[in-house]
Amino acid sequence: MTTEMHPSRWGNPAETTALPESTRGLVELALGVRETPAVEEVSMPPVGLADDVLAELRALLGDDHVLTDDEHRRLRTRGKSTPDLLRARSGDLTDAPDVVARPGTHDDVVALIALAVRHHIAIVPFGGGTSVTGGLVARREGYAGVVSVDLIRMKALREVDKESMTVVLEPGLRGPEAEELLAAEGLMLGHFPQSFEFASIGGFAATRSSGQSSAGYGRFDAMVMGLTLATPQGTLEVGSSPANAAGPDLRQLVLGSEGAFGIITSVRVRVKKLPVEKVYEAWNFPSFTAGADAMRHLAQNGLMPTVLRLSDENETALNLASHSDVGGESTGGCLMIVGHEGASVAARQALVGAALEELGGTPLGEDRGAAWAEGRFHAPYLRDSLLDVGVLVETLETATFWSNRDRLYKAVTSALTEALGEKTLVLCHISHVYETGCSLYFTVAAPQADAPLEQWLAAKAKASQAMVDAGATITHHHAVGTDHKPWLAQEIGEVGVRILRAVKADLDPTDVLNPGVLIP
Ligand SMILES: Cc1cc2nc3c(=O)[nH]c(=O)nc-3n(C[C@H](O)[C@H](O)[C@H](O)COP(=O)(O)OP(=O)(O)OC[C@H]3O[C@@H](n4cnc5c(N)ncnc54)[C@H](O)[C@@H]3O)c2cc1C
């Protein structure tokens, strides 16, 4: 059975914890603590879809797969950004879908889309519900209703081609489910975003996600060899060869399309053999710049490990002080995690280690690396515990070329500090590295104002503008959703916006597919 997340918190409800005393003390000192009462009384908006449409949906999918009860609708309301959590915590469920519909096959999806067009219903594909950019909040004005198209029944491993090392997966498989099916074949995907436990294959493709092992296995879009997309105009199948010159690559039009061009019903991905060995080690660098330069050196000299991440001074200090991630005594400087997976990793470990030492790194050993690997999916649970005690906390990310890294880092840090005040803590890490540049991932914590949602939206707008003004992207892997649209328009310009609108207008002329999401 699929574990469901708490409607207003991250992750498995069984793992919810109060803020550890050690961290609480630190937070009290730095930001102040103010318990925020949980809202117990929440009323769901009534189901807005007409009875005859509901009857048609039931005839199509069966009674068990057309759900209008409060619980299912609440669990499919919005995603898991801090604004989503704050809205849910305040009892605001106005974005709840009228119905949760669960197609079981590609043909069900095609028929569901046709039904939505006939009745002018907004349909929102739902994979794991971990969107952090408002990707699950469709516009409802002018529509007969909103249907959440929950892909939870489409969880098959449909094809395994060990000769070509590709497999075909259905979109509703969550990260661990996909890896479990592949492990039984001696294979793995190697896509481990921090939302791994809940996010789905379809969601990874629709948002162009990137995982913690992207240095070794690549971003999700780089793993995708082919896709099937159900649209109001018919089905698009792309990816019949490992590479081709048959015009623009239409895979790239489907990847990152966030449910606005169609619903992804299967994904062909390249796979790897399960690694024989896994070694993670920690390193210390005297500064963020020294560590970033070392990462650049590895990337530009063919020395990429499987995992490569670097915390700035603030994030390193907090990790060490709270013992939440890597533990151990504070050594100052910046913490780097380097992971090697595969066969005969010792030789590679030695080569990379020698380069890092030469570049000013000090090895801190494998225990701290192993501690990072152990706790790699746990940090998001801490966000809820911090929100509980009145701390505003959220993450945001961007990417740029190496030569612009420092400027971008300073621009975003000052935008956030100016917007949220002097008591703001801005932490940053680099966890996706390329020959030409890297992503910067910020975590922000500040004392909550009386209206925390508006407080965050104002700060996020300033940080987003700082990213675009600094010539960086508005998102390296969180996608666009509704939240990043204004900055996407600035990033891709008028012609870019026209291209997106033209594709949307042709594939979805009545605008029923996730309306309001992605397209500026
Ligand atoms: C705590 C936390 C940590 C995160 N860490 C990472 C990270 O490390 N790396 C990263 O890349 N992202 C991360 N994210 C963001 C999020 O997990 C990714 O965007 C993920 O790919 C979304 O997958 P999902 O299945 O949950 O999609 P959903 O949230 O269900 O949907 C996301 C968008 O894709 C659309 N969609 C979903 N399925 C389909 C489909 N089959 N066809 C068409 N459209 C579809 C939805 O309509 C929506 O617009 C994190 C989020 C959280 C809350």
Side-chain angles (χ1 to χ4, degrees):
M1 216 184 80
T2 306
T3 305
E4 294 285 0
M5 282 191 271
H6 187 283
S8 61
R9 302 178 84 87
W10 168 254
N12 187 340
E15 288 180 36
T16 297
T17 48
L19 197 64
E21 274 311 312
S22 55
T23 318
R24 191 185 163 105
L26 276 175
V27 170
E28 203 149 15
L29 211 64
L31 302 169
V33 158
R34 187 176 78 167
E35 304 291 341
T36 55
V39 176
E40 303 294 347
E41 289 295 313
V42 176
S43 61
M44 291 297 289
V47 173
L49 267 192
D51 286 347
D52 58 328
V53 180
L54 282 174
E56 242 187 271
L57 270 171
R58 291 195 172 107
L60 177 67
L61 301 176
D63 289 356
D64 289 351
H65 304 303
V66 178
L67 306 161
T68 52
D69 60 287
D70 286 1
E71 184 65 1
H72 280 97
R73 291 172 62 213
R74 186 179 299 125
L75 289 170
R76 297 295 174 260
T77 304
R78 308 190 187 101
K80 293 292 174 190
S81 66
T82 292
D84 291 338
L85 300 182
L86 289 171
R87 286 187 178 106
R89 280 166 177 250
S90 73
D92 171 2
L93 289 170
T94 46
D95 293 315
D98 293 291
V99 181
V100 177
R102 297 172 166 180
T105 63
H106 172 83
D107 290 346
D108 282 352
V109 173
V110 170
L112 198 52
I113 292 175
L115 186 149
V117 171
R118 266 198 316 280
H119 296 285
H120 199 55
I121 296 165
I123 47 177
V124 184
F126 187 101
T130 67
S131 167
V132 281
T133 57
L136 298 163
V137 187
R139 192 175 59 242
R140 59 175 60 231
E141 297 76 39
Y143 290 87
V146 175
V147 174
S148 172
V149 181
D150 187 350
L151 295 151
I152 199 165
R153 288 171 66 207
M154 297 181 69
K155 285 184 187 273
L157 167 58
R158 288 236 303 263
E159 196 185 312
V160 179
D161 177 352
K162 285 195 184 171
E163 194 175 352
S164 311
M165 290 297 274
T166 70
V167 302
V168 177
L169 298 167
E170 285 194 336
L173 282 164
R174 294 189 173 173
E177 293 167 340
E179 290 295 3
E180 201 179 313
L181 287 172
L182 292 174
E185 303 283 340
L187 302 171
M188 75 177 304
L189 193 51
H191 184 65
F192 303 111
Q194 207 169 37
S195 52
F196 173 70
E197 296 161 280
F198 288 90
S200 70
I201 294 296
F204 294 150
T207 60
R208 294 174 62 205
S209 162
S210 191
Q212 293 169 346
S213 309
S214 65
Y217 302 125
R219 299 164 57 90
F220 194 77
D221 51 15
M223 298 175 183
V224 174
M225 297 288 106
L227 303 120
T228 308
L229 183 77
T231 84
Q233 307 299 350
T235 294
L236 174 72
E237 297 262 10
V238 284
S240 57
S241 54
N244 63 67
D249 189 346
L250 294 179
R251 270 180 316 184
Q252 299 302 331
L253 207 58
V254 179
L255 290 164
S257 60
E258 301 186 37
F261 295 161
I263 299 185
I264 297 164
T265 57
S266 74
V267 187
R268 180 183 293 278
V269 281
R270 67 157 149 76
V271 285
K272 303 278 181 197
K273 287 194 181 128
L274 274 174
V276 185
E277 295 171 60
K278 293 183 186 180
V279 178
Y280 305 100
E281 50 189 31
W283 287 76
N284 184 271
F285 278 83
S287 68
F288 197 41
T289 298
D293 285 348
M295 289 176 134
R296 178 166 60 84
H297 177 91
L298 296 185
Q300 293 176 346
N301 289 279
L303 288 171
M304 285 287 257
T306 315
V307 173
L308 182 60
R309 51 194 293 127
L310 173 74
S311 295
D312 73 353
E313 288 83 352
N314 282 351
E315 191 175 279
T316 302
L318 202 78
N319 273 342
L320 294 170
S322 68
H323 292 248
S324 65
D325 212 348
V326 290
E329 291 300 308
S330 174
T331 49
C334 292
L335 179 80
M336 182 185 278
I337 300 293
V338 180
H340 300 275
E341 298 182 4
S344 323
V345 299
R348 196 141 192 90
Q349 192 183 3
L351 267 180
V352 172
L356 291 177
E357 270 199 88
E358 203 162 298
L359 292 159
T362 309
L364 300 177
E366 290 181 13
D367 285 354
R368 288 191 187 177
W372 169 82
E374 174 81 24
R376 66 197 287 184
F377 301 122
H378 202 74
Y381 289 90
L382 200 59
R383 175 175 56 161
D384 295 304
S385 320
L386 287 165
L387 289 172
D388 289 344
V389 296
V391 175
L392 182 70
V393 55
E394 179 58 308
T395 62
L396 66 175
E397 44 78 53
T398 175
T400 194
F401 296 111
W402 286 117
S403 55
N404 196 37
R405 180 199 60 77
D406 192 45
R407 174 177 167 226
L408 176 63
Y409 175 67
K410 287 180 180 142
V412 176
T413 305
S414 358
L416 289 166
T417 314
E418 274 163 32
L420 292 168
E422 267 176 27
K423 273 195 158 185
T424 308
L425 278 176
V426 182
L427 324 175
C428 182
H429 67 246
I430 297 175
S431 49
H432 305 279
V433 172
Y434 308 91
E435 279 180 66
T436 52
C438 64
S439 78
L440 292 180
Y441 185 98
F442 296 89
T443 303
V444 193
Q448 267 183 40
D450 289 340
L453 180 60
E454 289 68 24
Q455 179 194 15
W456 174 247
L457 295 180
K460 166 98 179 180
K462 287 218 160 67
S464 300
Q465 195 57 49
M467 288 172 190
V468 175
D469 289 347
T473 181
I474 186 62
T475 173
H476 169 264
H477 58 264
H478 279 170
V480 177
T482 47
D483 299 357
H484 290 154
K485 270 197 316 179
W487 295 279
L488 175 72
Q490 294 181 48
E491 182 171 330
I492 63 177
E494 201 186 317
V495 176
V497 170
R498 285 179 71 135
I499 292 170
L500 289 183
R501 285 187 187 157
V503 174
K504 173 76 171 171
D506 193 83
L507 288 181
D508 181 25
T510 58
D511 197 15
V512 295
L513 293 167
N514 225 357
V517 169
L518 177 66
I519 315 294

